[in-house]
Every structure is written in structure tokens, then in C-alpha cells.
Amino acid sequence: MLEKMGRNLPCWCGSGKKYKNCHAAFDSRVREFREQGYEVPSRKLIKNGEQIQKIRESSRINMAVLDAVTREIGEGMPCSRINEIVNDVTYSMGGIPAPLHYEGYPYSVCTSVNEEVCHGFPDRDTVLRSGDIVNVDVSTILDGFYSDSSRMFLIGEVSEEKQKLVRVCRECVDRGLEQVRPWGFLGDMGQAVHDHALKNGMSVVSTIGGHGCGLEFHEDPYVSYVSRRGTGMLMVPGMIFTIEPMVNLGGPEVTVDAENGWEVRTRDGLPSAQWEIMVLVTEEGHEVLTW
């Protein structure tokens, strides 16, 4: 991303401003980090103002879908009904469910219940029962721009152990978000997440992480939640990525369903929780786009 360009040429970001008045100083600072051996983002990961606004519009649909699920979800509901809600709201607002047919995924949403870590199928046979915890993961395309977030739901009378798992997972996201600022590192966020889970006697899945998002469903960088402070990609204004740790009550090991190749479960059969937000790095700190 750091090839030099004429200072009076239009900036590479597409803002229409001259390079010297837009990203020249930014590139100089990024170059300094690269020369010190740090991982820096490519230019294609930096969103301009117009793109960010389009992603915000996609995000509004994504959150409206989750709000609709929140109003209706409950004991006795088959997860196929959640898929129907996602389709109804998304299409009525002009969007497209991003998961549908993505690399062969057959549904418009992921619903992961209890020991399911992620990518759970919202089928008719999976009916929510009292005591269940479920993650509903929604992703939306609007005019070619992507948004992504998930929420946890407690169904009926849930054990204190599961309640704590869901609460601690949300706290992990919040701890990580506190570390999102320009010219910091993704590892700052990852360590904050991991430390809080370990402090509470829980583990974080290390083989699945977050991702960049906005112009594509899954972009660089890969976002780990078992990383170390001062490592990982440099965070810079205009980057967008997800914070979505998968926190397990037991060990961090997972297995993938051998039949469908999608549903991920804890190896020890103990419950897992996940919250997901999408965050923009700004000049001052960060902006949460979806929750």
C-alpha cells in the first residue's frame, strides 16, 4: 500500500482530494511502522467516507433484523422460524442475507445452540427449549456493501453457569473494544479478550476468529482472540473488522460436523457463547457499526 504517488494527484482512497491533503501523512506514518517490522494493512482495507456510509446503511438493516428476532425468539420456536424472520425483514428493507449460498451454506442465518460454537443450521428439527442459549448470527448485503453481527439469547430458565458464560463473553467483547484505537495493534484487542475469559475460568476458541468486512463478506485481516499485545496488524483509521470471540465453558477444542461440513461444536460437549460486533477504526478511536 505504500508505493509513492504524486502529491497533487487524486488520493488513492477515492475521496477526490489531492493526495497531499488526504492520505500522504497517513502513508508516511504507516511506512514507519512497516520499516520497524510491524504488519500493516493494504490500501484495499481502508474504506473512504462514501464506502463507510454505505456500510452504515447495510448495518442498519442488519441490526433491524436482530431486533426483529429479539422481539419474537422464545421457548418452543423452531430455528427455521428465525430463518424466516431474517428473510422477511432483510428483503423488505432492500437487503440480501449474506450467508445464503455463501460457499454452499444453505440458510440465511446461523443459529448455534448450547454446545454449537458457530454455523449452526436453523432447521425445523432444532426447537428452542427452556435452558438453551443460542447465538443468532446475521449478515447483510445492501447495494454490494456488507455488515455482520450476532447476539446471544437465553431461552426460559437458564442455569447460572450458562448465564455467566453469556455475560462473560459479552464482557470479553467490551474489553476488546476498549483497545480499538488508531495506531494500536489487533493483538492489543485480542489479549484483552483472552485475558478476561481466562480470568473467569473459560477458554477462547483459537482456530476460528474474526475478519475484516464491508466491501466483501470476509476480508483481511484475520482477527485472533488469543493474540498478544503489541502484535498483529496495525489498526488505522478506515479499517473495519469484527470482534466476535467464541468463549467456551470448557476447553477451546472444537469439531466440525462430518455430515454437513458446517456446524462447529465444542469437542467436550460443554456450552459455548459468542457475541459479534463490527467496528470502524476512526481518527479519534472507534465507531461500533453493528451490535
Coordinates of all heavy atoms in Angstrom, one line a residue, residues 87-146:
N87 N -35.2 -13.6 6.6 CA -35.5 -13.3 5.2 C -36.6 -12.2 5.0 O -36.4 -11.3 4.2 CB -36.1 -14.6 4.6 CG -35.0 -15.6 4.2 OD1 -33.9 -15.2 3.8 ND2 -35.3 -16.9 4.3
D88 N -37.6 -12.3 5.9 CA -38.7 -11.3 5.8 C -38.2 -9.9 6.0 O -38.5 -9.0 5.1 CB -39.8 -11.6 6.8 CG -40.6 -12.9 6.5 OD1 -40.5 -13.4 5.3 OD2 -41.3 -13.4 7.4
V89 N -37.5 -9.6 7.0 CA -37.0 -8.3 7.3 C -35.9 -7.8 6.3 O -36.0 -6.7 5.9 CB -36.5 -8.2 8.8 CG1 -36.0 -6.8 9.1 CG2 -37.6 -8.6 9.7
T90 N -35.0 -8.7 6.1 CA -33.9 -8.3 5.2 C -34.4 -7.9 3.8 O -34.1 -6.8 3.3 CB -32.9 -9.4 5.0 OG1 -32.4 -9.8 6.3 CG2 -31.7 -9.0 4.2
Y91 N -35.2 -8.7 3.2 CA -35.7 -8.4 1.8 C -36.7 -7.3 1.8 O -36.7 -6.5 0.9 CB -36.4 -9.7 1.2 CG -35.4 -10.8 0.8 CD1 -35.5 -12.0 1.4 CD2 -34.4 -10.5 -0.1 CE1 -34.6 -13.1 1.1 CE2 -33.5 -11.5 -0.5 CZ -33.6 -12.8 0.1 OH -32.7 -13.8 -0.2
S92 N -37.5 -7.1 2.9 CA -38.4 -6.0 2.9 C -37.7 -4.7 3.0 O -38.2 -3.6 2.6 CB -39.4 -6.1 4.1 OG -38.7 -5.9 5.4
M93 N -36.5 -4.7 3.6 CA -35.7 -3.4 3.7 C -34.7 -3.2 2.5 O -33.9 -2.3 2.5 CB -34.9 -3.4 5.0 CG -35.9 -3.4 6.2 SD -35.0 -3.3 7.8 CE -34.3 -1.6 7.8
G94 N -34.8 -4.1 1.5 CA -34.0 -3.9 0.3 C -32.6 -4.6 0.4 O -31.8 -4.4 -0.5
G95 N -32.4 -5.5 1.4 CA -31.1 -6.1 1.5 C -31.2 -7.6 1.1 O -32.2 -8.1 0.6
I96 N -30.0 -8.3 1.2 CA -29.9 -9.7 0.8 C -29.2 -10.4 2.0 O -28.2 -9.8 2.5 CB -29.1 -9.9 -0.4 CG1 -29.7 -9.2 -1.6 CG2 -28.8 -11.3 -0.8 CD1 -28.9 -9.1 -2.9
P97 N -29.7 -11.5 2.5 CA -28.9 -12.2 3.5 C -27.6 -12.8 3.0 O -27.6 -13.6 2.0 CB -29.9 -13.4 3.9 CG -31.2 -13.0 3.3 CD -30.9 -12.2 2.1
A98 N -26.5 -12.3 3.5 CA -25.2 -12.7 3.0 C -24.8 -14.2 3.1 O -24.2 -14.7 2.3 CB -24.1 -11.8 3.7
P99 N -25.3 -14.9 4.2 CA -24.9 -16.3 4.3 C -25.5 -17.2 3.3 O -24.9 -18.2 3.0 CB -25.4 -16.7 5.7 CG -25.6 -15.4 6.5 CD -26.0 -14.4 5.4
L100 N -26.7 -16.8 2.7 CA -27.4 -17.7 1.8 C -26.6 -18.0 0.6 O -26.2 -17.1 -0.2 CB -28.7 -17.1 1.4 CG -29.7 -18.0 0.6 CD1 -30.0 -19.3 1.4 CD2 -30.9 -17.2 0.2
H101 N -26.3 -19.3 0.4 CA -25.5 -19.8 -0.7 C -24.0 -19.4 -0.6 O -23.2 -19.7 -1.6 CB -26.0 -19.4 -2.0 CG -27.5 -19.8 -2.2 ND1 -28.0 -21.0 -1.9 CD2 -28.5 -19.0 -2.6 CE1 -29.3 -21.0 -2.2 NE2 -29.7 -19.8 -2.6
Y102 N -23.6 -18.8 0.5 CA -22.1 -18.5 0.6 C -21.3 -19.7 0.8 O -21.5 -20.4 1.8 CB -21.9 -17.5 1.8 CG -20.5 -17.2 2.0 CD1 -19.8 -16.2 1.2 CD2 -19.8 -17.8 3.1 CE1 -18.5 -15.9 1.5 CE2 -18.4 -17.5 3.3 CZ -17.8 -16.5 2.5 OH -16.5 -16.2 2.7
E103 N -20.5 -20.0 -0.2 CA -19.7 -21.2 -0.2 C -20.5 -22.5 0.0 O -20.1 -23.5 0.6 CB -18.5 -21.2 0.8 CG -17.5 -20.0 0.4 CD -16.3 -20.0 1.3 OE1 -16.3 -20.8 2.3 OE2 -15.4 -19.2 1.1
G104 N -21.8 -22.4 -0.4 CA -22.7 -23.6 -0.3 C -23.5 -23.6 1.0 O -24.3 -24.5 1.2
Y105 N -23.4 -22.6 1.8 CA -24.2 -22.6 3.1 C -25.7 -22.5 2.7 O -26.1 -21.6 1.9 CB -23.8 -21.4 4.0 CG -24.5 -21.5 5.3 CD1 -24.1 -22.3 6.3 CD2 -25.6 -20.6 5.6 CE1 -24.7 -22.4 7.5 CE2 -26.2 -20.7 6.8 CZ -25.8 -21.5 7.8 OH -26.4 -21.6 9.0
P106 N -26.6 -23.3 3.2 CA -28.0 -23.4 2.7 C -29.0 -22.5 3.4 O -30.2 -22.6 3.0 CB -28.3 -24.9 3.0 CG -27.5 -25.3 4.2 CD -26.3 -24.5 4.1
Y107 N -28.6 -21.7 4.3 CA -29.6 -20.9 5.0 C -29.2 -19.4 5.0 O -28.1 -19.1 4.6 CB -29.8 -21.4 6.5 CG -30.3 -22.8 6.6 CD1 -29.4 -23.8 6.8 CD2 -31.6 -23.1 6.5 CE1 -29.8 -25.1 7.0 CE2 -32.1 -24.4 6.7 CZ -31.2 -25.4 6.9 OH -31.6 -26.7 7.0
S108 N -30.1 -18.6 5.5 CA -29.9 -17.1 5.5 C -29.3 -16.6 6.8 O -29.1 -15.4 7.0 CB -31.2 -16.4 5.2 OG -31.7 -16.7 3.9
V109 N -29.2 -17.5 7.8 CA -28.7 -17.1 9.2 C -28.0 -18.3 9.8 O -28.3 -19.4 9.4 CB -29.9 -16.6 10.0 CG1 -30.9 -17.6 10.3 CG2 -29.4 -15.9 11.3
C110 N -27.2 -18.1 10.8 CA -26.6 -19.2 11.6 C -27.3 -19.1 13.0 O -27.3 -18.0 13.6 CB -25.1 -19.0 11.7 SG -24.2 -19.1 10.1
T111 N -27.8 -20.2 13.5 CA -28.3 -20.3 14.8 C -27.6 -21.4 15.6 O -27.8 -22.6 15.3 CB -29.8 -20.6 14.8 OG1 -30.1 -21.8 14.0 CG2 -30.6 -19.4 14.2
S112 N -26.8 -21.1 16.5 CA -25.9 -22.0 17.2 C -26.3 -22.2 18.7 O -26.3 -21.2 19.4 CB -24.4 -21.6 17.1 OG -24.1 -21.4 15.8
V113 N -26.8 -23.4 19.0 CA -27.5 -23.7 20.3 C -26.5 -24.5 21.2 O -25.9 -25.5 20.8 CB -28.8 -24.5 20.0 CG1 -29.5 -24.7 21.4 CG2 -29.7 -23.8 19.0
N114 N -26.4 -24.0 22.4 CA -25.7 -24.7 23.5 C -24.2 -25.0 23.1 O -23.4 -24.1 23.1 CB -26.4 -25.9 23.9 CG -27.8 -25.6 24.6 OD1 -27.9 -24.5 25.2 ND2 -28.8 -26.4 24.4
E115 N -23.9 -26.2 22.8 CA -22.5 -26.6 22.5 C -22.1 -26.3 21.1 O -20.9 -26.4 20.8 CB -22.3 -28.1 22.8 CG -22.8 -29.0 21.8 CD -24.3 -29.3 21.9 OE1 -25.0 -28.7 22.8 OE2 -24.8 -30.1 21.1
E116 N -23.0 -25.8 20.3 CA -22.7 -25.4 18.9 C -21.9 -24.0 19.1 O -22.4 -23.1 19.7 CB -23.9 -25.2 18.1 CG -24.5 -26.5 17.7 CD -25.7 -26.3 16.7 OE1 -26.5 -25.4 17.0 OE2 -25.8 -27.1 15.8
V117 N -20.7 -24.0 18.5 CA -19.9 -22.8 18.6 C -20.3 -21.8 17.5 O -20.3 -20.6 17.8 CB -18.4 -23.3 18.4 CG1 -17.5 -22.0 18.4 CG2 -18.0 -24.2 19.5
C118 N -20.5 -22.2 16.3 CA -20.9 -21.3 15.2 C -21.4 -22.2 14.0 O -21.3 -23.4 14.0 CB -19.7 -20.5 14.8 SG -18.3 -21.4 14.2
H119 N -22.0 -21.4 13.1 CA -22.5 -22.0 11.8 C -23.6 -23.0 12.0 O -23.8 -23.9 11.2 CB -21.4 -22.6 11.0 CG -20.3 -21.7 10.7 ND1 -19.0 -22.1 10.4 CD2 -20.2 -20.3 10.7 CE1 -18.2 -21.1 10.2 NE2 -18.9 -20.0 10.4
G120 N -24.4 -22.9 13.1 CA -25.5 -23.9 13.4 C -26.6 -23.6 12.3 O -26.9 -22.5 12.0
F121 N -27.2 -24.8 11.9 CA -28.3 -24.7 10.9 C -29.6 -24.3 11.6 O -30.0 -25.0 12.5 CB -28.4 -26.1 10.2 CG -27.4 -26.4 9.2 CD1 -26.3 -25.6 9.0 CD2 -27.6 -27.5 8.4 CE1 -25.4 -25.8 8.0 CE2 -26.6 -27.8 7.4 CZ -25.5 -27.0 7.2
P122 N -30.3 -23.4 11.0 CA -31.7 -23.0 11.5 C -32.7 -23.9 10.9 O -33.6 -23.4 10.1 CB -31.8 -21.5 11.1 CG -31.0 -21.5 9.8 CD -29.9 -22.4 10.0
D123 N -32.7 -25.2 11.2 CA -33.7 -26.1 10.6 C -34.9 -26.3 11.4 O -35.0 -25.9 12.6 CB -33.0 -27.4 10.3 CG -32.3 -28.0 11.5 OD1 -32.8 -27.8 12.6 OD2 -31.3 -28.7 11.4
R124 N -35.9 -27.0 10.9 CA -37.2 -27.3 11.6 C -37.0 -28.2 12.8 O -37.8 -28.1 13.7 CB -38.2 -27.9 10.6 CG -38.6 -26.9 9.5 CD -39.8 -27.5 8.7 NE -40.2 -26.6 7.6 CZ -39.7 -26.5 6.4 NH1 -38.6 -27.3 6.1 NH2 -40.2 -25.7 5.5
D125 N -36.0 -29.0 12.7 CA -35.9 -30.0 13.8 C -35.3 -29.4 15.0 O -35.4 -30.1 16.1 CB -35.0 -31.2 13.3 CG -35.7 -32.0 12.2 OD1 -36.9 -32.0 12.1 OD2 -34.9 -32.5 11.3
T126 N -34.6 -28.3 14.9 CA -34.0 -27.7 16.1 C -35.0 -26.7 16.7 O -35.2 -25.6 16.2 CB -32.7 -26.9 15.7 OG1 -31.8 -27.8 15.1 CG2 -32.0 -26.4 17.0
V127 N -35.5 -27.1 17.9 CA -36.6 -26.3 18.5 C -36.0 -25.8 19.9 O -35.4 -26.6 20.6 CB -37.8 -27.2 18.8 CG1 -38.9 -26.4 19.6 CG2 -38.4 -27.7 17.5
L128 N -36.1 -24.5 20.1 CA -35.5 -23.9 21.3 C -36.3 -24.4 22.6 O -37.6 -24.3 22.6 CB -35.5 -22.4 21.2 CG -34.7 -21.9 20.0 CD1 -34.8 -20.4 19.9 CD2 -33.2 -22.3 20.2
R129 N -35.6 -24.8 23.6 CA -36.2 -25.3 24.8 C -35.7 -24.4 26.0 O -34.6 -23.8 25.9 CB -35.8 -26.7 25.1 CG -36.1 -27.7 23.9 CD -37.6 -27.8 23.7 NE -37.9 -28.8 22.6 CZ -39.1 -29.0 22.1 NH1 -40.1 -28.2 22.4 NH2 -39.2 -30.0 21.2
S130 N -36.5 -24.4 27.0 CA -36.1 -23.7 28.2 C -34.7 -24.3 28.7 O -34.5 -25.5 28.8 CB -37.1 -23.9 29.3 OG -36.8 -23.2 30.5
G131 N -33.8 -23.3 29.0 CA -32.5 -23.7 29.4 C -31.4 -23.6 28.3 O -30.2 -23.6 28.6
D132 N -31.9 -23.4 27.1 CA -31.0 -23.2 26.0 C -30.4 -21.8 26.0 O -31.0 -20.9 26.4 CB -31.7 -23.5 24.6 CG -32.0 -24.9 24.4 OD1 -31.5 -25.8 25.0 OD2 -32.9 -25.1 23.5
I133 N -29.2 -21.8 25.4 CA -28.6 -20.5 25.0 C -28.4 -20.6 23.5 O -28.0 -21.7 23.0 CB -27.3 -20.1 25.7 CG1 -26.2 -21.2 25.5 CG2 -27.6 -19.9 27.2 CD1 -24.9 -20.8 26.1
V134 N -28.6 -19.5 22.7 CA -28.5 -19.6 21.3 C -27.9 -18.3 20.7 O -28.2 -17.2 21.2 CB -29.9 -19.9 20.6 CG1 -30.9 -18.8 21.0 CG2 -29.7 -19.9 19.1
N135 N -26.9 -18.5 19.8 CA -26.4 -17.4 19.1 C -27.0 -17.2 17.8 O -27.1 -18.2 17.0 CB -24.8 -17.6 18.9 CG -24.2 -16.5 18.1 OD1 -24.1 -16.6 16.9 ND2 -23.8 -15.4 18.7
V136 N -27.5 -16.0 17.4 CA -28.1 -15.7 16.1 C -27.1 -14.8 15.4 O -27.0 -13.7 15.8 CB -29.5 -15.1 16.3 CG1 -30.1 -14.8 14.9 CG2 -30.4 -16.1 17.0
D137 N -26.6 -15.3 14.3 CA -25.5 -14.6 13.6 C -26.1 -14.1 12.2 O -26.4 -14.9 11.4 CB -24.3 -15.5 13.4 CG -23.1 -14.8 12.8 OD1 -23.2 -13.6 12.4 OD2 -22.0 -15.4 12.8
V138 N -26.2 -12.8 12.1 CA -26.9 -12.2 10.9 C -25.9 -11.4 10.1 O -25.1 -10.7 10.7 CB -28.0 -11.3 11.3 CG1 -28.6 -10.5 10.2 CG2 -29.1 -12.1 12.0
S139 N -25.9 -11.5 8.8 CA -25.0 -10.8 7.9 C -25.9 -10.3 6.7 O -26.7 -11.1 6.2 CB -23.9 -11.7 7.4 OG -23.2 -12.3 8.5
T140 N -25.6 -9.1 6.3 CA -26.5 -8.4 5.3 C -25.7 -7.8 4.2 O -24.6 -7.2 4.4 CB -27.3 -7.3 6.0 OG1 -28.0 -7.9 7.1 CG2 -28.3 -6.7 5.0
I141 N -26.2 -7.9 2.9 CA -25.7 -7.2 1.8 C -26.7 -6.1 1.4 O -27.9 -6.4 1.2 CB -25.4 -8.1 0.6 CG1 -24.6 -9.4 1.0 CG2 -24.7 -7.4 -0.5 CD1 -24.6 -10.4 -0.1
L142 N -26.2 -4.9 1.2 CA -27.0 -3.8 0.7 C -26.2 -3.1 -0.4 O -25.2 -2.5 -0.1 CB -27.5 -2.8 1.8 CG -28.3 -1.6 1.3 CD1 -29.7 -2.1 0.7 CD2 -28.5 -0.6 2.4
D143 N -26.7 -3.2 -1.6 CA -26.0 -2.5 -2.7 C -24.5 -2.9 -2.8 O -23.7 -2.0 -3.1 CB -26.2 -1.0 -2.6 CG -27.6 -0.5 -2.6 OD1 -28.4 -1.2 -3.3 OD2 -27.9 0.5 -2.0
G144 N -24.2 -4.1 -2.5 CA -22.9 -4.6 -2.6 C -22.0 -4.3 -1.3 O -20.8 -4.7 -1.3
F145 N -22.6 -3.8 -0.3 CA -21.9 -3.5 1.0 C -22.4 -4.4 2.1 O -23.6 -4.6 2.2 CB -22.0 -2.0 1.3 CG -21.4 -1.1 0.4 CD1 -22.1 -0.6 -0.7 CD2 -20.0 -0.7 0.5 CE1 -21.5 0.2 -1.7 CE2 -19.4 0.1 -0.4 CZ -20.2 0.6 -1.5
Y146 N -21.4 -4.9 2.9 CA -21.7 -5.9 3.9 C -21.7 -5.4 5.3 O -20.9 -4.5 5.6 CB -20.6 -7.0 3.7 CG -20.7 -7.8 2.4 CD1 -20.2 -7.3 1.2 CD2 -21.3 -9.1 2.4 CE1 -20.3 -8.0 0.1 CE2 -21.3 -9.8 1.2 CZ -20.8 -9.3 0.1 OH -20.9 -10.0 -1.1

